Amino acid sequence: MYVGRFAPSPTGPLHFGSLVAAVASYCEAKANQGLWLVRMEDLDRPREMKGAADAILHQLEAFGFEWDSEVIYQSKRNEFYSEILQQLKQQQLIYPCTCTRKEIADSSNQIGIDSIIYPKTCLTHPPKTNAPIAWRIKTSPTLIKFNDAIQGSLEQNIADQVGDFVLKRADGLYAYQLAVVADDAEQKITHVVRGADLLDSTSRQIYLQQQLNYNALQYAHVPVASNIAGDKLSKQTLAKAIEVHTANHLLYDALSFLGQHPPAEIKNATLKEIWHWCGSNWQLTNIPKTRKISVPS
Ligand code: GLU
Ligand code: ZN
């Protein structure tokens, strides 16, 4: 059984990049007679834009997407994440950390794929008392390897390239990495199709799945829109791209972006006809690894 999902963060309305991820995950689920679920990743309340979650659902509806189960909201699942954290605590896989950003910056000059590698200070010295606590997972130098259906075979050494990463932040928020792994497992997701901006997070998620004895998932990371010069497009530019077009034009653009070569008639077709076309023509193997586009600026 194939279970796919689309997991937007409501930091703003759907933009061209998120539409591409939605289309790809939807078409691939349909092509495999699978289920397609929508999960609202609204954990980071401070970064959320008021009304964006509803706006995204309305946009999805307007494009004719149909999801197979009730939408779940991560903001309502703290108890569940707390149980998972507890389980990791019992397995002695996590430890409290009270280091501030500055302390970490001053104590390490080892740079990983997205920030400084945490030098395990609180693992070797008792953490401060009366300071806000973050929870980190211990990592050891094991190589995580996976085969991405679009990007090919990839590997990452978590300890060397990421370090002991945070599962619960000092401000009390659960980290994306924990929530995504917990929810994918609980929703019985089998296949993840999402933007390649999350490629670097995948090894962390696989590592966590392994520690929690969860099933392995299949991954496919679709290209992230970049401009002709190769710079990743900002959310603003991508949002603009969605304002100026009708739903069928946008679906045409998204399918073209995904290497599906939709016929020009799609631009004037009904949504039903477009999804029908996808049903018989969608090919994951046509998706390019990277993609450059020109968009209205
Ligand atoms: N919520 C994430 C985002 O919008 C996607 C998470 C995922 O698909 O794993 O970037
Ligand atoms: Zn620390």
Side-chain angles (χ1 to χ4, degrees), residues 5 14 37 41 59 76 82 95-96 107 142 148 170 210 213 221 235 243 258 263 276 282 290 292:
R5 46 62 156 193
L14 214 59
L37 311 182
E41 302 212 318
Q59 284 172 301
K76 297 183 185 153
S82 144
Y95 62 96
S107 59
T142 35
D148 188 276
Q210 291 175 349
N213 279 320
H221 286 86
K235 277 202 168 179
E243 261 168 40
L258 289 162
H276 185 78
W282 172 260
T290 57
K292 292 184 173 140

PDB file of all heavy atoms in Angstrom, residues 5 14 37 41 59 76 82 95-96 107 142 148 170 210 213 221 235 243 258 263 276 282 290 292:
ATOM      1  N   ARG A   5       2.084  12.018   1.036  1.00  0.00           N
ATOM      2  CA  ARG A   5       1.572  13.173   1.783  1.00  0.00           C
ATOM      3  C   ARG A   5       2.143  14.469   1.234  1.00  0.00           C
ATOM      4  O   ARG A   5       3.170  14.494   0.564  1.00  0.00           O
ATOM      5  CB  ARG A   5       1.844  13.027   3.280  1.00  0.00           C
ATOM      6  CG  ARG A   5       3.225  12.592   3.763  1.00  0.00           C
ATOM      7  CD  ARG A   5       4.306  13.487   3.436  1.00  0.00           C
ATOM      8  NE  ARG A   5       5.476  13.431   4.281  1.00  0.00           N
ATOM      9  CZ  ARG A   5       6.424  14.355   4.250  1.00  0.00           C
ATOM     10  NH1 ARG A   5       6.351  15.376   3.424  1.00  0.00           N
ATOM     11  NH2 ARG A   5       7.481  14.271   5.027  1.00  0.00           N
ATOM     12  N   LEU A  14       0.166  29.159  -0.429  1.00  0.00           N
ATOM     13  CA  LEU A  14       0.860  28.274  -1.358  1.00  0.00           C
ATOM     14  C   LEU A  14       1.603  29.124  -2.395  1.00  0.00           C
ATOM     15  O   LEU A  14       1.053  30.085  -2.905  1.00  0.00           O
ATOM     16  CB  LEU A  14      -0.206  27.457  -2.078  1.00  0.00           C
ATOM     17  CG  LEU A  14       0.052  26.024  -2.497  1.00  0.00           C
ATOM     18  CD1 LEU A  14       0.393  25.159  -1.302  1.00  0.00           C
ATOM     19  CD2 LEU A  14      -1.184  25.473  -3.202  1.00  0.00           C
ATOM     20  N   LEU A  37      -2.275  12.258   1.760  1.00  0.00           N
ATOM     21  CA  LEU A  37      -2.704  12.968   2.969  1.00  0.00           C
ATOM     22  C   LEU A  37      -2.113  14.372   3.010  1.00  0.00           C
ATOM     23  O   LEU A  37      -1.054  14.623   2.432  1.00  0.00           O
ATOM     24  CB  LEU A  37      -2.243  12.201   4.214  1.00  0.00           C
ATOM     25  CG  LEU A  37      -2.545  10.689   4.250  1.00  0.00           C
ATOM     26  CD1 LEU A  37      -2.076  10.086   5.568  1.00  0.00           C
ATOM     27  CD2 LEU A  37      -4.033  10.426   4.041  1.00  0.00           C
ATOM     28  N   GLU A  41       2.064  21.676   8.835  1.00  0.00           N
ATOM     29  CA  GLU A  41       3.243  21.724   9.703  1.00  0.00           C
ATOM     30  C   GLU A  41       3.352  23.099  10.358  1.00  0.00           C
ATOM     31  O   GLU A  41       4.172  23.929  10.001  1.00  0.00           O
ATOM     32  CB  GLU A  41       4.489  21.324   8.920  1.00  0.00           C
ATOM     33  CG  GLU A  41       4.305  19.919   8.338  1.00  0.00           C
ATOM     34  CD  GLU A  41       5.576  19.096   8.219  1.00  0.00           C
ATOM     35  OE1 GLU A  41       6.603  19.659   7.820  1.00  0.00           O
ATOM     36  OE2 GLU A  41       5.526  17.885   8.523  1.00  0.00           O
ATOM     37  N   GLN A  59      -6.692  26.945  -1.451  1.00  0.00           N
ATOM     38  CA  GLN A  59      -5.976  26.903  -2.728  1.00  0.00           C
ATOM     39  C   GLN A  59      -5.925  25.473  -3.264  1.00  0.00           C
ATOM     40  O   GLN A  59      -6.177  25.245  -4.450  1.00  0.00           O
ATOM     41  CB  GLN A  59      -4.551  27.442  -2.560  1.00  0.00           C
ATOM     42  CG  GLN A  59      -4.485  28.962  -2.453  1.00  0.00           C
ATOM     43  CD  GLN A  59      -3.074  29.408  -2.099  1.00  0.00           C
ATOM     44  OE1 GLN A  59      -2.533  29.029  -1.062  1.00  0.00           O
ATOM     45  NE2 GLN A  59      -2.463  30.211  -2.951  1.00  0.00           N
ATOM     46  N   LYS A  76      -1.348  20.688  17.282  1.00  0.00           N
ATOM     47  CA  LYS A  76      -2.230  20.053  18.264  1.00  0.00           C
ATOM     48  C   LYS A  76      -1.644  18.745  18.790  1.00  0.00           C
ATOM     49  O   LYS A  76      -2.335  17.980  19.460  1.00  0.00           O
ATOM     50  CB  LYS A  76      -3.588  19.757  17.619  1.00  0.00           C
ATOM     51  CG  LYS A  76      -4.304  21.017  17.186  1.00  0.00           C
ATOM     52  CD  LYS A  76      -5.679  20.688  16.627  1.00  0.00           C
ATOM     53  CE  LYS A  76      -6.336  21.956  16.076  1.00  0.00           C
ATOM     54  NZ  LYS A  76      -7.293  21.638  15.016  1.00  0.00           N
ATOM     55  N   SER A  82       5.816  14.578  22.784  1.00  0.00           N
ATOM     56  CA  SER A  82       6.426  14.432  24.098  1.00  0.00           C
ATOM     57  C   SER A  82       6.632  12.944  24.439  1.00  0.00           C
ATOM     58  O   SER A  82       7.639  12.563  25.039  1.00  0.00           O
ATOM     59  CB  SER A  82       5.554  15.157  25.118  1.00  0.00           C
ATOM     60  OG  SER A  82       5.521  14.494  26.325  1.00  0.00           O
ATOM     61  N   TYR A  95      19.961  14.082  25.350  1.00  0.00           N
ATOM     62  CA  TYR A  95      20.468  14.737  26.559  1.00  0.00           C
ATOM     63  C   TYR A  95      20.120  16.223  26.544  1.00  0.00           C
ATOM     64  O   TYR A  95      19.968  16.824  25.484  1.00  0.00           O
ATOM     65  CB  TYR A  95      21.981  14.511  26.705  1.00  0.00           C
ATOM     66  CG  TYR A  95      22.817  15.084  25.581  1.00  0.00           C
ATOM     67  CD1 TYR A  95      23.411  16.342  25.693  1.00  0.00           C
ATOM     68  CD2 TYR A  95      23.038  14.357  24.414  1.00  0.00           C
ATOM     69  CE1 TYR A  95      24.192  16.871  24.674  1.00  0.00           C
ATOM     70  CE2 TYR A  95      23.815  14.869  23.380  1.00  0.00           C
ATOM     71  CZ  TYR A  95      24.387  16.124  23.512  1.00  0.00           C
ATOM     72  OH  TYR A  95      25.157  16.646  22.497  1.00  0.00           O
ATOM     73  N   PRO A  96      19.964  16.782  27.751  1.00  0.00           N
ATOM     74  CA  PRO A  96      19.605  18.200  27.835  1.00  0.00           C
ATOM     75  C   PRO A  96      20.814  19.086  27.531  1.00  0.00           C
ATOM     76  O   PRO A  96      21.937  18.754  27.903  1.00  0.00           O
ATOM     77  CB  PRO A  96      19.170  18.370  29.289  1.00  0.00           C
ATOM     78  CG  PRO A  96      19.835  17.262  30.025  1.00  0.00           C
ATOM     79  CD  PRO A  96      20.045  16.139  29.066  1.00  0.00           C
ATOM     80  N   SER A 107      32.684  27.920  21.142  1.00  0.00           N
ATOM     81  CA  SER A 107      33.352  26.693  21.558  1.00  0.00           C
ATOM     82  C   SER A 107      33.645  25.728  20.409  1.00  0.00           C
ATOM     83  O   SER A 107      34.179  24.660  20.617  1.00  0.00           O
ATOM     84  CB  SER A 107      32.518  25.984  22.629  1.00  0.00           C
ATOM     85  OG  SER A 107      31.250  25.690  22.084  1.00  0.00           O
ATOM     86  N   THR A 142      28.183   7.236  11.971  1.00  0.00           N
ATOM     87  CA  THR A 142      27.715   6.194  11.060  1.00  0.00           C
ATOM     88  C   THR A 142      27.267   6.863   9.758  1.00  0.00           C
ATOM     89  O   THR A 142      26.795   7.988   9.769  1.00  0.00           O
ATOM     90  CB  THR A 142      26.497   5.432  11.633  1.00  0.00           C
ATOM     91  OG1 THR A 142      25.710   6.363  12.360  1.00  0.00           O
ATOM     92  CG2 THR A 142      26.894   4.276  12.507  1.00  0.00           C
ATOM     93  N   ASP A 148      17.506   8.074  -3.475  1.00  0.00           N
ATOM     94  CA  ASP A 148      16.399   8.966  -3.793  1.00  0.00           C
ATOM     95  C   ASP A 148      15.935   8.687  -5.220  1.00  0.00           C
ATOM     96  O   ASP A 148      16.751   8.577  -6.136  1.00  0.00           O
ATOM     97  CB  ASP A 148      16.888  10.413  -3.653  1.00  0.00           C
ATOM     98  CG  ASP A 148      15.751  11.416  -3.785  1.00  0.00           C
ATOM     99  OD1 ASP A 148      15.392  11.777  -4.921  1.00  0.00           O
ATOM    100  OD2 ASP A 148      15.219  11.823  -2.738  1.00  0.00           O
ATOM    101  N   ALA A 170      14.954  25.079  23.127  1.00  0.00           N
ATOM    102  CA  ALA A 170      14.951  25.684  24.460  1.00  0.00           C
ATOM    103  C   ALA A 170      13.694  26.521  24.701  1.00  0.00           C
ATOM    104  O   ALA A 170      13.279  26.723  25.829  1.00  0.00           O
ATOM    105  CB  ALA A 170      16.204  26.539  24.645  1.00  0.00           C
ATOM    106  N   GLN A 210      15.572   5.090  12.456  1.00  0.00           N
ATOM    107  CA  GLN A 210      16.305   3.888  12.874  1.00  0.00           C
ATOM    108  C   GLN A 210      16.357   3.775  14.389  1.00  0.00           C
ATOM    109  O   GLN A 210      16.160   2.695  14.943  1.00  0.00           O
ATOM    110  CB  GLN A 210      17.728   3.926  12.294  1.00  0.00           C
ATOM    111  CG  GLN A 210      17.740   3.749  10.785  1.00  0.00           C
ATOM    112  CD  GLN A 210      19.132   3.907  10.168  1.00  0.00           C
ATOM    113  OE1 GLN A 210      20.075   4.355  10.844  1.00  0.00           O
ATOM    114  NE2 GLN A 210      19.266   3.570   8.892  1.00  0.00           N
ATOM    115  N   ASN A 213      13.107   2.569  15.666  1.00  0.00           N
ATOM    116  CA  ASN A 213      12.643   1.309  15.058  1.00  0.00           C
ATOM    117  C   ASN A 213      11.432   1.475  14.158  1.00  0.00           C
ATOM    118  O   ASN A 213      10.537   0.622  14.147  1.00  0.00           O
ATOM    119  CB  ASN A 213      12.309   0.276  16.140  1.00  0.00           C
ATOM    120  CG  ASN A 213      13.557  -0.395  16.623  1.00  0.00           C
ATOM    121  OD1 ASN A 213      14.443  -0.707  15.814  1.00  0.00           O
ATOM    122  ND2 ASN A 213      13.649  -0.590  17.928  1.00  0.00           N
ATOM    123  N   HIS A 221      12.980  13.591  -4.139  1.00  0.00           N
ATOM    124  CA  HIS A 221      13.078  15.044  -3.945  1.00  0.00           C
ATOM    125  C   HIS A 221      13.029  15.765  -5.284  1.00  0.00           C
ATOM    126  O   HIS A 221      13.935  15.626  -6.098  1.00  0.00           O
ATOM    127  CB  HIS A 221      14.355  15.378  -3.172  1.00  0.00           C
ATOM    128  CG  HIS A 221      14.265  15.039  -1.714  1.00  0.00           C
ATOM    129  ND1 HIS A 221      14.553  13.783  -1.208  1.00  0.00           N
ATOM    130  CD2 HIS A 221      13.861  15.791  -0.651  1.00  0.00           C
ATOM    131  CE1 HIS A 221      14.360  13.789   0.116  1.00  0.00           C
ATOM    132  NE2 HIS A 221      13.931  14.993   0.474  1.00  0.00           N
ATOM    133  N   LYS A 235      10.565  33.101  -1.566  1.00  0.00           N
ATOM    134  CA  LYS A 235       9.139  32.818  -1.408  1.00  0.00           C
ATOM    135  C   LYS A 235       8.307  33.924  -2.045  1.00  0.00           C
ATOM    136  O   LYS A 235       7.249  33.686  -2.601  1.00  0.00           O
ATOM    137  CB  LYS A 235       8.775  32.687   0.074  1.00  0.00           C
ATOM    138  CG  LYS A 235       9.074  31.307   0.617  1.00  0.00           C
ATOM    139  CD  LYS A 235       8.269  30.991   1.853  1.00  0.00           C
ATOM    140  CE  LYS A 235       8.397  29.503   2.160  1.00  0.00           C
ATOM    141  NZ  LYS A 235       7.686  29.084   3.342  1.00  0.00           N
ATOM    142  N   GLU A 243       0.192  34.437  -8.288  1.00  0.00           N
ATOM    143  CA  GLU A 243      -0.848  35.468  -8.339  1.00  0.00           C
ATOM    144  C   GLU A 243      -1.355  35.733  -9.756  1.00  0.00           C
ATOM    145  O   GLU A 243      -2.517  36.000  -9.970  1.00  0.00           O
ATOM    146  CB  GLU A 243      -0.279  36.789  -7.820  1.00  0.00           C
ATOM    147  CG  GLU A 243      -0.629  37.099  -6.387  1.00  0.00           C
ATOM    148  CD  GLU A 243       0.214  38.258  -5.893  1.00  0.00           C
ATOM    149  OE1 GLU A 243       0.434  39.206  -6.653  1.00  0.00           O
ATOM    150  OE2 GLU A 243       0.658  38.179  -4.737  1.00  0.00           O
ATOM    151  N   LEU A 258       8.056  19.977 -13.850  1.00  0.00           N
ATOM    152  CA  LEU A 258       8.358  18.610 -13.417  1.00  0.00           C
ATOM    153  C   LEU A 258       8.702  17.682 -14.593  1.00  0.00           C
ATOM    154  O   LEU A 258       8.728  16.460 -14.438  1.00  0.00           O
ATOM    155  CB  LEU A 258       7.174  18.045 -12.612  1.00  0.00           C
ATOM    156  CG  LEU A 258       6.990  18.671 -11.216  1.00  0.00           C
ATOM    157  CD1 LEU A 258       5.587  18.399 -10.669  1.00  0.00           C
ATOM    158  CD2 LEU A 258       8.051  18.146 -10.249  1.00  0.00           C
ATOM    159  N   PRO A 263       0.525  18.833 -22.861  1.00  0.00           N
ATOM    160  CA  PRO A 263       0.155  19.495 -24.107  1.00  0.00           C
ATOM    161  C   PRO A 263      -0.405  20.902 -23.811  1.00  0.00           C
ATOM    162  O   PRO A 263      -0.990  21.122 -22.745  1.00  0.00           O
ATOM    163  CB  PRO A 263      -0.928  18.595 -24.690  1.00  0.00           C
ATOM    164  CG  PRO A 263      -1.481  17.848 -23.517  1.00  0.00           C
ATOM    165  CD  PRO A 263      -0.365  17.722 -22.530  1.00  0.00           C
ATOM    166  N   HIS A 276      -7.074  14.108 -15.094  1.00  0.00           N
ATOM    167  CA  HIS A 276      -7.235  12.888 -15.880  1.00  0.00           C
ATOM    168  C   HIS A 276      -6.001  12.666 -16.760  1.00  0.00           C
ATOM    169  O   HIS A 276      -5.466  11.556 -16.849  1.00  0.00           O
ATOM    170  CB  HIS A 276      -8.504  12.985 -16.742  1.00  0.00           C
ATOM    171  CG  HIS A 276      -8.787  11.718 -17.476  1.00  0.00           C
ATOM    172  ND1 HIS A 276      -9.346  10.623 -16.857  1.00  0.00           N
ATOM    173  CD2 HIS A 276      -8.553  11.362 -18.762  1.00  0.00           C
ATOM    174  CE1 HIS A 276      -9.443   9.652 -17.732  1.00  0.00           C
ATOM    175  NE2 HIS A 276      -8.966  10.068 -18.907  1.00  0.00           N
ATOM    176  N   TRP A 282       1.515  10.749 -16.137  1.00  0.00           N
ATOM    177  CA  TRP A 282       2.519  11.084 -15.127  1.00  0.00           C
ATOM    178  C   TRP A 282       3.650  10.050 -15.089  1.00  0.00           C
ATOM    179  O   TRP A 282       3.403   8.845 -15.047  1.00  0.00           O
ATOM    180  CB  TRP A 282       1.857  11.161 -13.751  1.00  0.00           C
ATOM    181  CG  TRP A 282       2.829  11.320 -12.634  1.00  0.00           C
ATOM    182  CD1 TRP A 282       3.283  10.330 -11.794  1.00  0.00           C
ATOM    183  CD2 TRP A 282       3.492  12.529 -12.230  1.00  0.00           C
ATOM    184  NE1 TRP A 282       4.178  10.854 -10.886  1.00  0.00           N
ATOM    185  CE2 TRP A 282       4.326  12.195 -11.135  1.00  0.00           C
ATOM    186  CE3 TRP A 282       3.450  13.849 -12.683  1.00  0.00           C
ATOM    187  CZ2 TRP A 282       5.119  13.141 -10.485  1.00  0.00           C
ATOM    188  CZ3 TRP A 282       4.245  14.791 -12.029  1.00  0.00           C
ATOM    189  CH2 TRP A 282       5.060  14.437 -10.955  1.00  0.00           C
ATOM    190  N   THR A 290      17.441  19.034 -11.322  1.00  0.00           N
ATOM    191  CA  THR A 290      17.455  20.474 -11.037  1.00  0.00           C
ATOM    192  C   THR A 290      16.694  21.177 -12.156  1.00  0.00           C
ATOM    193  O   THR A 290      16.482  20.606 -13.223  1.00  0.00           O
ATOM    194  CB  THR A 290      18.888  21.040 -11.013  1.00  0.00           C
ATOM    195  OG1 THR A 290      19.502  20.755 -12.259  1.00  0.00           O
ATOM    196  CG2 THR A 290      19.696  20.458  -9.885  1.00  0.00           C
ATOM    197  N   LYS A 292      15.852  25.261 -13.872  1.00  0.00           N
ATOM    198  CA  LYS A 292      15.959  26.729 -13.836  1.00  0.00           C
ATOM    199  C   LYS A 292      14.773  27.312 -14.595  1.00  0.00           C
ATOM    200  O   LYS A 292      14.400  26.808 -15.637  1.00  0.00           O
ATOM    201  CB  LYS A 292      17.255  27.175 -14.479  1.00  0.00           C
ATOM    202  CG  LYS A 292      18.425  26.750 -13.636  1.00  0.00           C
ATOM    203  CD  LYS A 292      19.726  27.248 -14.155  1.00  0.00           C
ATOM    204  CE  LYS A 292      20.787  26.896 -13.131  1.00  0.00           C
ATOM    205  NZ  LYS A 292      22.013  26.457 -13.622  1.00  0.00           N
TER     206      LYS A 292
END
